[in-house]
C-alpha cells in the first residue's frame, strides 16, 4: 500500500538504520531465547527474572523492584512470577512489609548457573564480536545517552511516566 | 550475591556495553509504548501488526507471513490477532488457501495513520538525533551484519531454527 501519511517522518537513511536496529534486536532476542528454551527449558522472561534475583544483594527482591528493573507491567510480572513459583524457580516469602519478597530458590539458582555461560557465549559470538571493541564502546556511550535523555524528559515533561 | 559462575563471560567493558544496550532498548520501547497507549489507545503489539499490514502490497498478509515478520510465536500471534479483530482493527478473510488472510480494516488504517507520525517523531527525538548521522550509519551496518551472521549460522548449524 502507499505510505500512510506525510508527516514528521524519518528520511530514508534514518528509516533504514532504525529498521535494521529493530530487526537486529528481534533476531538476536529470538535466537538467544530459542537456545535458552531448547537447551535449558527456560524462557527469556524466566532468564531475565533469574538474572535480576541472582545478582541482587541477597537473592531476593520486592515485586516493585523487579518491575522497575524489567520495565514489565505489574500484571505481566505477577502472572509470570506465579508461573515461575509453580515450577519451583522462585518462592514468595513474607517479610516486615505488606508485600512479600521474591526469592530465588536453589533450583532457580541452579538453572541460572547452568544457562548463563551459554547465553554469554552467544552474546559474545553474535553481538560483541560482530561489533568489535571500538564500535561496541560507541554503542555503549550512545545507549547511556539515550537512557539519560529519556529519564530527563520523563522527570520534567512526562508526568505519566514519572508517576509509574 | 556472588557472581554465579566463572565461564565464557564477557569482560567488564563488554558486559557494560551489552547491559547499556539492553537498558536502552527496554527504556526506549517502554517510552514509545506508553505514548502509543496514552495518546492513541494502541499497544506496541497492535502497532507492530498494523505497520506490517499497512506496508504490505495489498494491506493483507497470511498469519505465517506476519509471524515471520514479527518473530512472534504462533500462539502469541493468534491470540493477539483475535483481540485486534474484536476491536475492529483487522479482519480475517477467506481466500483460496485453507488459511484466511489477515486484512487491515478502515479503522485499523485510520489508527496507524494517526499514530505513526507521533511515533516517528519520538524515534527521531530519542534515537536518531541522539545517535547523529555518523554513529547511526555505523549502527545500521553492524545491525545488518549481525542479522546476516545469525541467518548464516541458522542455515548451517541450527536445524531447530531453520525449520521454524
Amino acid at each position: 500500500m502507499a505510505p500512510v501519511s506525510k508527516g514528521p517522518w524519518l528520511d530514508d537513511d534514518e528509516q533504514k538504520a532504525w529498521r535494521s536496529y529493530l530487526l537486529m534486536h528481534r533476531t538476536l532476542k529470538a535466537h538467544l531465547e530459542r537456545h535458552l528454551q531448547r537447551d535449558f527449558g527456560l524462557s527469556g522472561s524466566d532468564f531475565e527474572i533469574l538474572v535480576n534475583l541472582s545478582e541482587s544483594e541477597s537473592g531476593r527482591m520486592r515485586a516493585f523492584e523487579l518491575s522497575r528493573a524489567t520495565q514489565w507491567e505489574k500484571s505481566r510480572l505477577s502472572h509470570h512470577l506465579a508461573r515461575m513459583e509453580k515450577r519451583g524457580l522462585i518462592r514468595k516469602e513474607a517479610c516486615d512489609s505488606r508485600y512479600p519478597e521474591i526469592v530465588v530458590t536453589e533450583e532457580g539458582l541452579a538453572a541460572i548457573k547452568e544457562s548463563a555461560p551459554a547465553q554469554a557465549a552467544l552474546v559474545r559470538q553474535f553481538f560483541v564480536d560482530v561489533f568489535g571493541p571500538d564500535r561496541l564502546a560507541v554503542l555503549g556511550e550512545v545507549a547511556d545517552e539515550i537512557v539519560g535523555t529519556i529519564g530527563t524528559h520523563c522527570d520534567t515533561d512526562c508526568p505519566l511516566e514519572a508517576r509509574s
Side-chain angles (χ1 to χ4, degrees), chain A:
Chain A
M1 299 179 83
V4 287
S5 166
K6 301 277 174 206
W9 297 108
L10 309 181
D11 72 28
D12 287 350
D13 288 346
E14 293 163 349
Q15 179 78 357
K16 191 170 170 299
W18 169 243
R19 300 234 164 168
S20 290
Y21 163 78
L22 290 180
L23 181 62
M24 167 188 79
H25 189 87
R26 203 159 49 219
T27 306
L28 186 62
K29 183 167 183 279
H31 191 65
L32 292 174
E33 291 186 353
R34 281 198 207 99
H35 276 271
L36 204 51
Q37 190 69 58
R38 185 187 63 179
D39 301 336
F40 304 100
L42 295 173
S43 69
S45 302
D46 297 335
F47 188 78
E48 195 171 342
I49 294 296
L50 291 174
V51 165
N52 274 290
L53 289 175
S54 68
E55 290 183 348
S56 69
E57 200 68 31
S58 55
R60 55 182 64 219
M61 292 170 79
R62 303 266 291 287
F64 81 90
E65 294 171 312
L66 274 172
S67 175
R68 189 180 294 161
T70 56
Q71 300 252 355
W72 296 358
E73 283 171 11
K74 268 185 206 162
S75 70
R76 175 184 173 193
L77 180 66
S78 127
H79 283 115
H80 196 75
L81 290 177
R83 284 195 294 272
M84 290 180 74
E85 192 175 18
K86 270 192 198 146
R87 292 158 60 211
L89 297 169
I90 59 150
R91 63 174 185 274
K92 291 177 190 151
E93 258 179 32
C95 65
D96 296 347
S97 121
R98 280 171 54 199
Y99 301 103
E101 287 181 323
I102 315 300
V103 186
V104 61
T105 61
E106 284 302 310
E107 200 176 331
L109 215 51
I112 191 77
K113 274 184 185 167
E114 195 187 34
S115 58
Q119 285 282 294
L122 290 171
V123 170
R124 166 170 299 296
Q125 180 179 3
F126 293 109
F127 187 83
V128 167
D129 287 352
V130 182
F131 266 95
D134 295 343
R135 298 191 298 191
L136 189 64
V138 171
L139 175 73
E141 282 164 26
V142 185
D144 291 343
E145 225 177 300
I146 287 176
V147 171
T149 305
I150 293 177
T152 308
H153 169 81
C154 289
D155 288 345
T156 55
D157 296 330
C158 197
L160 172 78
E161 291 170 57
R163 279 200 306 273
S164 75

